[in-house]
């Protein structure tokens, strides 16, 4: 039987990225982080998302090594933080991340936020890392269409991934459509809206119809929209539950009802004014 871990998104350069993975935002307690990553990988998770600002790269790297899974069988993402941006600064920041993770390469490296005056040069540095085969794919995070167009004007290689806040109350359909037209895969961060929609009546009704939890319904919505999704949890039961989403499918009616929950409501900051 296929699992969610078998589902891949083909990036613009042909690299296969798991459509489902583990986010590690706010995993700051080392023991909990170690256990969460190890348990996720033991269940079948093969994509782990971290960032310089999360201050857990060292623990994430150690946990990955503890699993005994071959490095080439995992997809590891990290990000350059705002005060590390610029061309030379990004190259140095990447080296620090690689050292903390104790790895020879990353699968994906992202600009975390589009810092005015820096993000274009930051992306140029990410291109260089790609040219030097230190990363397998290029990307950005929290970039709107205007930011992406600025990058297109100078890029030899367009970003392959844009990681943005997406959930049923912030569907971001115009930006997702733009990314699709330009072969940019979209990763959803805060896919469960930080738990703020788990008691929504519409979602609860759909979950009851399918015999699933609201969280499982939301993750399934992301998957059926072709989004890459990285829910974060330190609970083994929740990490397992989040992955059990291939034994049901949302109907077109379900999808329409969930789409209609959109209020352009963010749980995080707006990239235009962060």
């Amino acid at each position: 039987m296929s699992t969610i871990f078998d589902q891949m998104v083909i990036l613009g350069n042909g690299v296969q990225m798991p459509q489902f993975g583990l986010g590690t935002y706010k995993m700051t307690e080392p023991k909990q982080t170690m256990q969460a990553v190890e348990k996720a990988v033991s269940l079948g998770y093969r994509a782990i998302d971290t960032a310089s600002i999360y201050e857990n790269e060292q623990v994430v790297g150690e946990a990955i090594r503890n699993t005994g899974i071959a490095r080439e069988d995992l997809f590891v993402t990290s990000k350059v933080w705002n005060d590390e941006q610029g061309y030379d600064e990004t190259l140095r920041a990447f080296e620090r991340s690689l050292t903390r993770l104790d790895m020879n390469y990353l699968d994906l490296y992202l600009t975390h936020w589009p810092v005015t005056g820096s993000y274009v040069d930051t992306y140029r540095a990410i291109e260089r890392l790609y040219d030097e085969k230190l990363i397998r794919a290029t990307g950005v995070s929290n970039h709107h269409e205007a930011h992406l167009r600025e990058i297109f004007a100078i890029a030899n290689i367009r970003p392959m991934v844009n990681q943005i806040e997406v959930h049923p109350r912030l569907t971001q359909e115009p930006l997702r459509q733009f990314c699709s037209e330009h072969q940019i895969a979209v990763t959803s961060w805060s896919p469960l809206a930080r738990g703020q929609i788990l008691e929504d009546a519409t979602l609860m009704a759909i979950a009851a119809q399918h015999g699933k939890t609201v969280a499982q319904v939301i993750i399934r919505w992301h998957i059926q929209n072709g989004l890459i999704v990285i829910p974060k949890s330190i609970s083994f039961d929740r990490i397992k539950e989040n992955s059990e989403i291939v034994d049901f499918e949302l109907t077109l009616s379900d999808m329409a009802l969930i789409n209609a929950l959109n209020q352009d409501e963010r749980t995080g900051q707006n990239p235009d004014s962060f």
Side-chain angles (χ1 to χ4, degrees):
M1 178 181 170
S2 67
T3 69
I4 190 59
F5 309 119
D6 300 320
Q7 295 185 205
M8 299 287 168
V9 170
I10 309 300
L11 302 183
N13 64 345
V15 164
Q16 293 189 343
M17 180 175 179
Q19 192 177 1
F20 178 79
L22 180 73
T24 64
Y25 176 57
K26 289 196 172 177
M27 286 194 194
T28 53
E29 202 288 311
K31 186 176 180 181
Q32 286 184 337
T33 303
M34 184 90 65
Q35 291 175 341
V37 173
E38 289 178 2
K39 288 174 178 177
V41 174
S42 74
L43 281 171
Y45 282 70
R46 291 297 179 264
I48 308 293
D49 181 278
T50 183
S52 170
I53 194 64
Y54 299 172
E55 297 185 345
N56 61 16
E57 288 173 310
Q58 188 170 344
V59 175
V60 167
E62 187 177 347
I64 285 171
R65 288 189 296 282
N66 290 346
T67 67
I69 300 295
R71 173 67 185 90
E72 60 268 22
D73 293 332
L74 294 165
F75 196 100
V76 181
T77 300
S78 193
K79 313 175 195 76
V80 55
W81 185 240
N82 302 341
D83 62 6
E84 303 174 301
Q85 289 193 34
Y87 186 81
D88 292 331
E89 294 88 341
T90 296
L91 297 177
R92 288 193 287 267
F94 175 81
E95 284 299 323
R96 291 193 292 270
S97 284
L98 211 57
T99 298
R100 286 190 291 264
L101 286 158
D102 194 12
M103 294 177 179
N104 297 320
Y105 70 94
L106 288 180
D107 297 279
L108 177 63
Y109 195 54
L110 309 175
T111 310
H112 210 138
W113 289 86
V115 175
T116 301
S118 299
Y119 70 89
V120 172
D121 284 337
T122 297
Y123 185 75
R124 285 179 52 242
I126 290 173
E127 280 190 302
R128 177 173 169 180
L129 295 170
Y130 179 75
D131 288 339
E132 294 181 356
K133 300 191 181 336
L134 291 167
I135 61 175
R136 297 177 63 226
T138 67
V140 296
S141 187
N142 301 305
H143 279 43
H144 283 169
E145 180 178 333
H147 303 125
L148 292 168
R149 287 193 182 278
E150 267 204 74
I151 287 172
F152 291 173
I154 59 92
N156 296 314
I157 308 147
R158 287 186 174 182
M160 299 163 197
V161 175
N162 188 13
Q163 185 177 127
I164 58 176
E165 182 179 356
V166 181
H167 47 74
R169 285 200 187 146
L170 181 69
T171 57
Q172 300 248 46
E173 289 186 28
L175 179 54
R176 284 164 43 202
Q177 180 61 36
F178 178 82
C179 288
S180 176
E181 289 167 0
H182 294 277
Q183 285 193 294
I184 301 172
V186 172
T187 298
S188 305
W189 67 257
S190 193
L192 304 177
R194 300 185 183 178
Q196 295 174 15
I197 54 175
L198 296 182
E199 295 184 4
D200 178 89
T202 298
L203 294 170
M204 290 175 73
I206 293 170
Q209 289 169 8
H210 291 281
K212 289 290 182 178
T213 67
V214 170
Q216 287 170 322
V217 164
I218 297 170
I219 294 168
R220 184 73 211 175
W221 172 83
H222 286 277
I223 293 293
Q224 287 183 216
N225 271 312
L227 298 161
I228 298 159
V229 59
I230 47 169
K232 165 249 167 181
S233 181
I234 57 172
S235 159
F236 182 65
D237 289 342
R238 188 64 54 78
I239 289 169
K240 184 173 185 290
E241 175 192 299
N242 287 345
S243 71
E244 294 172 338
I245 52 168
V246 292
D247 57 348
F248 78 108
E249 187 164 329
L250 298 172
T251 65
L252 290 175
S253 174
D254 292 336
M255 294 292 286
L257 286 169
I258 298 172
N259 289 338
L261 296 175
N262 179 55
Q263 298 175 16
D264 293 330
E265 183 179 292
R266 297 179 181 273
T267 67
Q269 298 188 63
N270 188 322
D272 287 333
S273 57
F274 72 98

